[in-house]
Amino acid sequence: MTRLRSSVRLAIVALTLGVPSVGCFNSEKLVERVRNNAIRTRIDEVKLGQYRVTLPRNPQTGEMAEVDVKVYGETLRYKINEIEDELKSRAPEIEDRTLQVLRETSREELADPNLVTLRERLLTSMNEVLTGAPLKSIGFYQVRFVRH
């Protein structure tokens, strides 16, 4: 019984000594740190343009196809202004590279419902041009394929 009481006493003393240290934090600084982290890691969209290209003829059928896409990129929200400035200043290069990637699109890539390979190629191409703030991913507001 004496052992139990001394163990309980030790636990009470330990808790009593530990309680003041639990309350020693600045909740405002903690909230500010969490808010700043959320702002810095928030992902947002930036418009990259609308593109329309005619693909080379299908060698088996002779059929032609058009690809019409409206592209956006995802990046950290606080980098949006930097990317938009770079998009304006490098618009001709971005347009040229995007059209080149789209023209090289294979029929197999177009058959993928998620267009994974096309997205990856566009992302790589865009990030080679956008040196200041790279994109995290590429998406499409609109995708249209027209066969002629």
Side-chain angles (χ1 to χ4, degrees):
M1 195 73 131
T2 326
R3 272 190 187 165
L4 180 61
R5 285 186 185 169
S6 61
S7 299
V8 171
R9 282 186 197 145
L10 285 174
I12 291 171
V13 170
L15 285 173
T16 305
L17 292 175
V19 168
S21 65
V22 171
C24 292
F25 70 94
N26 186 335
S27 62
E28 290 175 14
K29 286 201 182 250
L30 180 63
V31 168
E32 182 181 338
R33 191 172 349 144
V34 169
R35 183 179 297 130
N36 287 340
N37 188 40
I39 289 169
R40 293 192 63 79
T41 59
R42 183 173 174 189
I43 301 292
D44 214 345
E45 296 175 358
V46 60
K47 294 177 184 177
L48 300 176
Q50 184 160 359
Y51 303 93
R52 185 176 184 166
V53 298
T54 302
L55 299 177
R57 286 187 186 275
N58 183 330
Q60 287 83 22
T61 64
E63 187 178 72
M64 291 180 63
E66 263 182 27
V67 177
D68 184 9
V69 293
K70 193 170 185 181
V71 186
Y72 69 89
E74 291 183 327
T75 191
L76 296 170
R77 183 180 187 144
Y78 75 95
K79 297 252 183 187
I80 294 286
N81 290 337
E82 185 179 342
I83 288 177
E84 287 176 341
D85 290 344
E86 203 168 357
L87 286 170
K88 286 176 190 170
S89 68
R90 303 186 82 179
E93 185 180 0
I94 291 168
E95 182 178 0
D96 182 58
R97 290 247 187 142
T98 304
L99 291 172
Q100 184 179 356
V101 167
L102 290 172
R103 283 187 190 108
E104 295 170 353
T105 303
S106 68
R107 302 221 182 309
E108 292 78 23
E109 284 179 314
L110 295 177
D112 175 11
N114 295 316
L115 301 170
V116 173
T117 307
L118 178 58
R119 288 174 195 258
E120 289 171 357
R121 290 190 314 111
L122 281 169
L123 180 62
T124 300
S125 175
M126 288 287 183
N127 282 339
E128 287 172 357
V129 177
L130 300 172
T131 55
L135 299 171
K136 301 292 183 192
S137 66
I138 293 285
F140 302 105
Y141 292 123
Q142 166 190 323
V143 177
R144 202 175 70 138
F145 304 111
V146 181
R147 295 177 194 223
H148 297 282

